[in-house]
Amino acid sequence: MKNRFKKFSVPSFATAAGFFLALVVMVSAPLLASTTNFSVPDDTALRIRLDDTLTSVDSRVGDPFSATVVDKGDYQSARVYGHVAQIDMSGRIKGHTSMVLRFDRLVMSDGRRAPIQAEIIELYHAPSGEKVDVEGAIESGGRGRKTLTHTAIGAGAGALLGGIFGGGKGAGIGSIIGGVGGLGTTAFHGHQKITLNSGQEMLIRVTGR
């Protein structure tokens, strides 16, 4: 009597494994595509808004920060990530405090990311008069000329009082006292401070990858 049941072949392990691999690739392909690196053209200008507060007193070299692109266009709402690269405090008498920020990567809202290098072109409405120097560092308002003016006024006032009360010799002593008084006023103000609050906007230009 002939066997009425048909024989069904059992798929081999290799065939099953291949099918499973193909399924994984199909499912993960969109995800892989969304995280693929791309490049931002050089000289692209981006207006960004800081997500973090950075100060020359509380921040440290190496501290990370992020910012959000506020421009309308291809990169709107993308996140820019970077770190504090350098902080140089001012002298107590004159000079500026400076802070250098390095930009590392730009991440789009769909997960795509681009390594970037960029320089700061402009700060918008910095609260304490911070500005950008020719090398792209953020610089405090400084007080060099103001300090010298205070010192000169102090010395002049001291000389005047010394001359009134003690003649030529008194004028010389008064100048020294007045000069010290002017320097003392400056020392009271301490180091210049840079404060970039969360929400501070700046313009950066992509310079490479």
Side-chain angles (χ1 to χ4, degrees), residues 67-205:
T68 301
V69 178
V70 296
D71 284 320
K72 292 182 178 180
D74 295 338
Y75 305 102
Q76 185 176 13
S77 300
R79 302 286 294 280
V80 173
Y81 294 89
H83 65 279
V84 178
Q86 184 177 333
I87 299 175
D88 291 321
M89 300 299 293
S90 66
R92 295 186 66 83
I93 296 176
K94 62 180 180 178
H96 301 273
T97 291
S98 65
M99 176 185 291
V100 177
L101 303 182
R102 290 282 182 261
F103 300 93
D104 305 319
R105 64 190 183 279
L106 179 144
V107 180
M108 300 293 289
S109 56
D110 62 4
R112 290 180 298 135
R113 56 187 60 214
I116 63 170
Q117 294 178 12
E119 62 180 356
I120 301 173
I121 301 299
E122 184 177 354
L123 290 176
Y124 296 103
H125 312 298
S128 302
E130 290 87 354
K131 56 186 179 181
V132 181
D133 68 14
V134 294
E135 296 180 351
I138 297 169
E139 193 175 76
S140 65
R143 59 168 178 275
R145 182 174 297 178
K146 187 176 181 181
T147 298
L148 295 177
T149 303
H150 283 179
T151 303
I153 292 173
L160 177 61
L161 292 175
I164 292 174
F165 294 107
K169 184 177 180 180
I173 296 173
S175 296
I176 296 173
I177 295 174
V180 172
L183 292 174
T185 301
T186 300
F188 176 80
H189 291 295
H191 295 294
Q192 289 289 295
K193 181 181 179 181
I194 291 175
T195 300
L196 303 175
N197 293 314
S198 173
Q200 171 70 52
E201 293 189 4
M202 62 184 72
L203 183 68
I204 65 173
R205 182 177 69 89

Side-chain angles (χ1 to χ4, degrees), residues 20-104:
F20 178 75
L21 180 60
L23 181 62
V24 169
V25 170
M26 290 176 59
V27 171
S28 61
L31 180 61
L32 291 174
S34 67
T35 58
T36 299
N37 285 2
F38 70 106
S39 61
V40 178
D42 290 357
D43 295 323
T44 298
L46 301 170
R47 182 164 177 159
I48 62 175
R49 180 186 297 126
L50 279 178
D51 300 323
D52 308 285
T53 294
L54 303 174
T55 77
S56 56
V57 174
D58 300 318
S59 300
R60 296 291 180 267
V61 172
D63 283 357
F65 68 87
S66 66
T68 301
V69 178
V70 296
D71 284 320
K72 292 182 178 180
D74 295 338
Y75 305 102
Q76 185 176 13
S77 300
R79 302 286 294 280
V80 173
Y81 294 89
H83 65 279
V84 178
Q86 184 177 333
I87 299 175
D88 291 321
M89 300 299 293
S90 66
R92 295 186 66 83
I93 296 176
K94 62 180 180 178
H96 301 273
T97 291
S98 65
M99 176 185 291
V100 177
L101 303 182
R102 290 282 182 261
F103 300 93
D104 305 319

